Amino acid sequence: MANVNRNEFAGIIGKSPKWVGNLIDAGLPHEGGGARGKPMVINTELAINWLIEREVKKQIGDLQSEDGAPIEGTKDGEELLLTMAKRRKADVDAAKAEQSVIDLEDIGQFLYSISTLYGSELNSLGARLASEVAQINEPAMCKHRIDSECRRVRAATAERLRGFVAEYRAQQRNDGGCEAIEECGELGD
């Protein structure tokens, strides 16, 4: 623990005496007034610890005035405001990402229910259309009827997908849970 003057401390940390003066204005611990006849004394151990603590606070965005607000008009205050804004933006980005993320277990359950629903609709397609298509002698009309039924199945499946997303988001907002809703409506006639 050595006591030095401002110029000596500037030499120790490799900065100019003016830079050390700015630090003193910002709260660097020192003794004496520095005025004529009253030499300024800086305890190197206290000063270096203060510099380290100050830098840590700057890095974590915690350098504030006594009332808890960033020190306005100072470089440190502006850097703190920027750091705080970046942190808020990161929080907003994270919240947006959380809204678009679905738990793997939930998506697995959902995909299983949709594939089961879609598969059963496709399996029963022939039974639903066989008697109707058998009476049509025109191949183009048969194709049209089969295509119409396939479009209905796809539209109903797409509607179920939209419904799942809406249900899942509502459930996430209400309780923050991650359970998938397995209930599926019937597509067949």
Side-chain angles (χ1 to χ4, degrees):
M1 171 167 78
N3 291 329
V4 296
N5 65 30
R6 181 170 71 170
N7 291 343
E8 291 170 331
F9 187 72
I12 290 171
I13 61 173
K15 298 290 185 177
S16 71
K18 181 178 179 180
W19 190 82
V20 173
N22 291 337
L23 288 178
I24 290 169
D25 292 341
L28 180 76
H30 65 283
E31 295 175 13
R36 295 190 194 277
K38 293 186 179 180
M40 181 178 299
V41 177
I42 299 173
N43 179 308
T44 56
E45 182 179 349
L46 293 176
I48 290 173
N49 286 337
W50 181 87
L51 286 170
I52 291 169
E53 183 179 330
R54 181 172 180 259
E55 187 60 31
V56 168
K57 285 181 178 181
K58 279 173 49 177
Q59 294 300 318
I60 63 171
D62 197 30
L63 188 60
Q64 300 173 348
S65 64
E66 292 175 6
D67 65 355
I71 304 168
E72 292 184 29
T74 65
K75 181 180 177 201
D76 291 337
E78 296 303 317
E79 287 175 1
L80 175 60
L81 290 173
L82 180 61
T83 301
M84 291 167 67
K86 286 179 181 178
R87 187 177 295 157
R88 282 192 306 273
K89 182 181 182 319
D91 289 343
V92 168
D93 290 345
K96 285 181 183 178
E98 285 293 322
Q99 290 178 356
S100 64
V101 173
I102 297 177
D103 185 59
L104 286 177
E105 184 178 313
D106 291 345
I107 198 68
Q109 291 175 358
F110 170 69
L111 290 174
Y112 177 77
S113 67
I114 290 296
S115 63
T116 301
L117 178 65
Y118 192 71
S120 67
E121 286 296 318
L122 291 181
N123 287 341
S124 64
L125 186 68
R128 279 197 312 274
L129 297 179
S131 61
E132 185 180 338
V133 172
Q135 297 174 8
I136 303 172
N137 293 331
E138 176 93 25
M141 293 296 286
C142 288
K143 181 183 179 326
H144 173 71
R145 179 62 189 111
I146 292 169
D147 287 347
S148 294
E149 182 63 14
C150 289
R151 281 191 295 277
R152 187 195 66 76
V153 169
R154 284 192 307 270
T157 303
E159 184 58 35
R160 179 63 191 121
L161 288 168
R162 282 189 290 277
F164 170 79
V165 170
E167 291 168 8
Y168 189 85
R169 285 186 174 162
Q171 184 177 6
Q172 292 298 316
R173 280 190 299 268
N174 290 340
D175 62 13
C178 294
E179 294 180 26
I181 299 173
E182 294 186 39
E183 176 183 317
C184 293
E186 289 297 320
L187 289 179
D189 294 328

